[in-house]
Amino acid sequence: MLGRSRSLQPIGQHLNGEVRKVFNRKHIVQIQDFSPDWVVTFESLQDNISYCLTKWMRQMLSHDDNELLCRVGPDAPMGQLMRRFWMPALLESELAADGKPVRIRLLGEDLVAFMDSEGRIGLLDEHCPHRGTSLALGVNGECGLRCLFHGWKFDVTGQCVDTPAEPENSKLANAMRTKAYPTRVAGGMVWTYMGPSELEPAFPHFPWFDMPKGSCEAFKVIYECNYSQALEGAVDSSHAGILHRESAWDQPAKWPHEKDLRPKLEVEFTRYGMRYCAVRNADENLKNGRMTQVPMPFYTFIPPDGPRAPEFRRNRRLVNAFVPRDDYSTWHIQFFYDPGQTIDRAHRMTEANTPHDEHFFKTNGIDVWYNQDREMMRTSNMSGIVGIALQDHAVSETMGKIADRTKEHLGRSDMAVVAFRRMMLRSVKHMMATGEVPEAAQGSFDWNQITAETFFFEPERKWQDIQPLAENLQPVDAAA
């Protein structure tokens, strides 16, 4: 049992609530009724997981750990971890055979994508290895991308196939290659793998790949901040009833999640990452559970609105991929899918309200202060910002390009956020020590077992009984 030793007391404070550790499995933690002066930290995620309460400190996450979490360039450990996964890179609709090449920045690297005459997709270093000119200026035709400067031409594998300004008997083209990454097309997106070729994992098969035509739509826009704080907004269930409140603060709440602002959060670590459930009171006889999946390294699977929602929203599912462009910006990629109906793309774009320019930068972002309307805040909308996605972007981007987490003051509502950080830090430190990233084997998972859900249940039951974690998805280090 945890004692109340003097070393655990906040200075000048006394523990004003009951602290309980409840382990349904050894990788689940539930904390109830503890003082806001205390937060949950994780000493270890090994098989004998030890969760402890420590004195709340100003430096919740150290500067060094924050740097380790956020930096994603080629030489950064987290960037190397990210490169071990297949990732969505650009919309399939951005490319056409022999069409305009597309510049794309991923994990701090400047790349160019193009579709050749036969429909194959290349993803190359943007800069020609000859003198560094951008290949995005080049001529796309006859199964290759030709540099405008001296005409060097590259196929989708990065092999140089022509150097027209060199002597006729020159063998320079045969010896010349530029960096190229493999690509796959699925779910309306072009995917790539940027890690060591000898470690390339099997391509994952996600459920939205199998949707009927029109039942899955992919979207993309730029988040102007680090990937981690963008993602943390999506693993923070308690903010939904405040930031997304569809009434003024002093007016009656409309929806259940707006009426119960203190959901009980429980986190469960898994073989693919983690999942957590926010449990609220639905009425006197039922609890409402919303279970969110957080597969590594940058996904969140958001639950549908459930059986009590309007029909068009009951089974509509959302997957976020917060793919780093670089340390300071993120590709916010969303997949909306519903096997039972066609996704209304125009409606979703209005709902999100993140219009963008041709480079996917928002036109209603931080430069115009998200078009916040103070009169709307007073009368009809808590945030004064129109659009669910735009609201999320606003609160994350205004933290700064990289949030200084040493200045945070965290509470119980941040449990899943803290768990995400510790999960990522544990994984990257494991990779640094062993070279292994077991979570990258996403092709081995049955993703139909890994879904986000909204459900109702009797108060005496546990949500894990209704949404059990399959044995093959238990953490590698979970006790039997």
Side-chain angles (χ1 to χ4, degrees):
M1 294 292 292
L2 258 178
R4 296 186 179 182
S5 66
R6 184 175 299 275
S7 62
L8 290 178
Q9 297 297 323
I11 297 175
Q13 300 278 344
H14 293 284
L15 200 60
N16 60 10
E18 179 187 6
V19 181
R20 291 192 291 163
K21 293 193 304 180
V22 180
F23 292 97
N24 301 110
R25 297 184 182 89
K26 286 198 175 183
H27 51 290
I28 301 173
V29 62
Q30 170 186 339
I31 307 294
Q32 296 178 316
D33 302 325
F34 64 88
S35 164
D37 298 313
W38 295 70
V39 295
V40 182
T41 60
F42 304 93
E43 287 188 337
S44 170
L45 298 181
Q46 304 302 326
D47 78 357
N48 291 321
I49 296 176
S50 172
Y51 292 97
C52 67
L53 292 177
T54 61
K55 186 178 71 175
W56 170 79
M57 297 177 63
R58 181 176 297 275
Q59 190 167 329
M60 178 57 192
L61 198 67
S62 71
H63 172 78
D64 289 346
D65 275 351
N66 199 40
E67 290 287 293
L68 185 59
L69 176 68
C70 295
R71 301 294 178 180
V72 294
D75 298 324
M78 191 61 76
Q80 293 168 7
L81 180 142
M82 296 276 188
R83 285 165 171 78
R84 300 283 285 274
F85 293 79
W86 280 93
M87 67 187 75
L90 67 160
L91 297 169
E92 184 181 4
S93 60
E94 294 180 65
L95 301 176
D98 292 340
K100 179 182 176 181
V102 173
R103 301 173 72 199
I104 177 78
R105 187 164 173 81
L106 282 174
L107 298 176
E109 296 187 37
D110 292 320
L111 307 171
V112 60
F114 71 102
M115 183 182 290
D116 75 5
S117 311
E118 298 180 359
R120 296 171 298 190
I121 294 174
L123 187 63
L124 312 181
D125 187 330
E126 181 185 346
H127 300 286
C128 179
H130 179 207
R131 298 269 292 277
T133 295
S134 173
L135 290 173
L137 293 171
V139 177
N140 182 15
E142 299 180 324
C143 289
L145 189 57
R146 189 181 296 277
C147 181
L148 281 189
F149 200 4
H150 293 86
W152 287 24
K153 181 179 178 181
F154 299 88
D155 67 17
V156 295
T157 72
Q159 177 64 51
C160 184
V161 296
D162 191 21
T163 53
E166 295 301 309
E168 290 186 5
N169 61 351
S170 172
K171 297 182 179 179
L172 181 60
N174 291 338
M176 186 58 56
R177 294 186 66 89
T178 192
K179 179 168 58 181
Y181 293 120
T183 61
R184 298 283 292 270
V185 177
M189 295 293 299
V190 178
W191 301 66
T192 190
Y193 170 76
M194 298 173 65
S197 58
E198 68 275 13
L199 298 175
E200 180 180 325
F203 187 69
H205 192 92
F206 294 114
W208 58 92
F209 293 174
D210 299 325
M211 292 299 105
K213 185 176 181 180
S215 291
C216 177
E217 291 286 342
F219 302 84
K220 186 176 86 166
V221 70
I222 290 174
Y223 237 123
E224 294 187 66
C225 63
N226 183 261
Y227 85 95
S228 60
Q229 65 207 61
L231 187 150
E232 286 171 5
V235 295
D236 177 5
S237 186
S238 61
H239 86 272
I242 299 175
L243 174 63
H244 303 310
R245 184 183 178 95
E246 295 183 11
S247 58
W249 184 249
D250 58 358
Q251 295 177 356
K254 292 183 178 181
W255 306 107
H257 66 276
E258 297 175 356
K259 296 175 182 177
D260 184 354
L261 299 179
R262 296 181 176 90
K264 185 178 72 175
L265 303 180
E266 294 185 18
V267 177
E268 185 171 22
F269 296 94
T270 69
R271 193 175 294 258
Y272 53 85
M274 66 179 240
R275 65 181 191 165
Y276 81 96
C277 191
V279 178
R280 293 178 170 89
N281 294 314
D283 53 43
E284 292 182 0
N285 301 313
L286 287 176
K287 297 284 188 180
N288 172 219
R290 283 180 58 84
M291 183 181 69
T292 300
Q293 302 281 1
V294 190
M296 285 186 61
F298 41 56
Y299 295 100
T300 62
F301 295 5
I302 306 301
D305 289 342
R308 296 187 178 182
E311 186 173 357
F312 82 98
R313 295 178 57 166
R314 287 177 190 170
N315 299 306
R316 187 185 67 171
R317 297 181 179 276
L318 167 62
V319 169
N320 291 301
F322 299 96
V323 181
R325 290 181 75 244
D326 49 34
D327 294 346
Y328 307 107
S329 60
T330 303
W331 292 111
H332 185 191
I333 294 167
Q334 293 189 311
F335 300 93
F336 267 85
Y337 69 102
D338 185 339
Q341 63 180 334
T342 299
I343 298 299
D344 186 337
R345 187 174 183 88
H347 171 78
R348 174 54 195 168
M349 292 176 71
T350 299
E351 188 177 53
N353 194 29
T354 52
H356 54 75
D357 62 19
E358 63 177 321
H359 304 297
F360 295 93
F361 284 95
K362 295 185 296 295
T363 56
N364 59 349
I366 196 168
D367 291 340
V368 294
W369 208 238
Y370 309 96
N371 291 331
Q372 187 181 40
D373 185 330
R374 289 279 161 176
E375 180 62 19
M376 184 185 296
M377 295 173 73
R378 190 181 67 80
T379 60
S380 61
N381 179 313
M382 168 69 182
S383 69
I385 297 170
V386 176
I388 294 172
L390 188 62
Q391 292 162 359
D392 287 327
H393 283 226
V395 295
S396 294
E397 290 177 351
T398 54
M399 297 176 186
K401 297 291 188 180
I402 296 181
D404 183 354
R405 293 178 172 87
T406 68
K407 296 180 178 179
E408 292 179 326
H409 299 68
L410 302 183
R412 183 172 70 177
S413 62
D414 303 302
M415 182 185 295
V417 171
V418 174
F420 163 74
R421 295 174 186 176
R422 296 304 178 187
M423 175 185 73
M424 294 297 288
L425 290 170
R426 178 206 179 212
S427 185
V428 75
K429 290 174 182 179
H430 178 76
M431 182 202 70
M432 293 165 67
T434 67
E436 299 174 352
V437 185
E439 298 89 351
Q442 293 182 327
S444 66
F445 301 138
D446 178 359
W447 288 94
N448 290 306
Q449 295 180 306
I450 306 169
T451 59
E453 302 293 346
T454 296
F455 50 95
F456 295 88
F457 60 102
E458 296 79 10
E460 62 271 14
R461 299 186 67 187
K462 297 178 180 178
W463 69 270
Q464 294 92 345
D465 297 332
I466 301 161
Q467 302 292 337
L469 183 66
E471 285 299 320
N472 63 307
L473 298 176
Q474 302 286 339
V476 174
D477 53 9

